Amino acid sequence: SHCIDVSLLSQEEATHLFAIQAGLDVTDISNLHSETTSILIRKSGYLPLGIRMAGKLVMAYRNSQSEISLTDIIKSIFGAANHQPTADPVIDILDRSFSFLTNPTTRFA
């Protein structure tokens, strides 16, 4: 077996990846939605897979409800995770997984 070390993305790289996956323009995110996008990226742990998943989820929201702003979509994603009891175990597992991967002392245990 081989160990492949994949580092976390920088804020700029993460924003660019998120924009691509969400089908958005990077300049629009930087100018109009930087704070909410930064929160989403931070909650994804700067992990490429988490950011890709968040971007695809935003794209799905935009395709089904095009009149909603990006800020409202991100707020509804957070709200759905916080108010759906059935999502709590999944959110808890993802939170623990992301903290495990981003914690340098535990990720090689």
Side-chain angles (χ1 to χ4, degrees):
S1 77
H2 298 281
C3 180
I4 299 173
D5 187 21
V6 178
S7 61
L8 301 176
L9 299 176
S10 69
Q11 181 69 34
E12 184 179 326
E13 293 168 330
T15 301
H16 188 75
L17 177 61
F18 174 77
I20 290 170
Q21 296 300 311
L24 300 168
D25 186 2
V26 177
T27 56
D28 287 345
I29 290 176
S30 299
N31 296 335
L32 302 174
H33 308 287
S34 64
E35 185 177 336
T36 52
T37 304
S38 293
I39 292 168
L40 182 64
I41 289 169
R42 194 169 43 250
K43 286 190 175 274
S44 298
Y46 297 93
L47 296 167
L49 180 59
I51 294 166
R52 288 185 68 203
M53 291 169 43
K56 290 295 185 184
L57 186 57
V58 167
M59 180 183 271
Y61 266 86
R62 291 181 68 230
N63 288 340
S64 66
Q65 301 173 7
S66 60
E67 70 280 352
I68 297 178
S69 74
L70 178 61
T71 302
D72 290 339
I73 291 171
I74 292 172
K75 285 179 182 177
S76 75
I77 291 170
F78 292 142
N82 292 332
H83 298 296
Q84 291 182 0
T86 56
D88 288 343
V90 175
I91 299 301
D92 185 46
I93 289 169
L94 287 173
D95 284 344
R96 284 189 275 155
S97 298
F98 289 150
S99 66
F100 174 76
L101 289 171
T102 58
N103 184 338
T105 60
T106 60
R107 68 177 163 202
F108 297 110

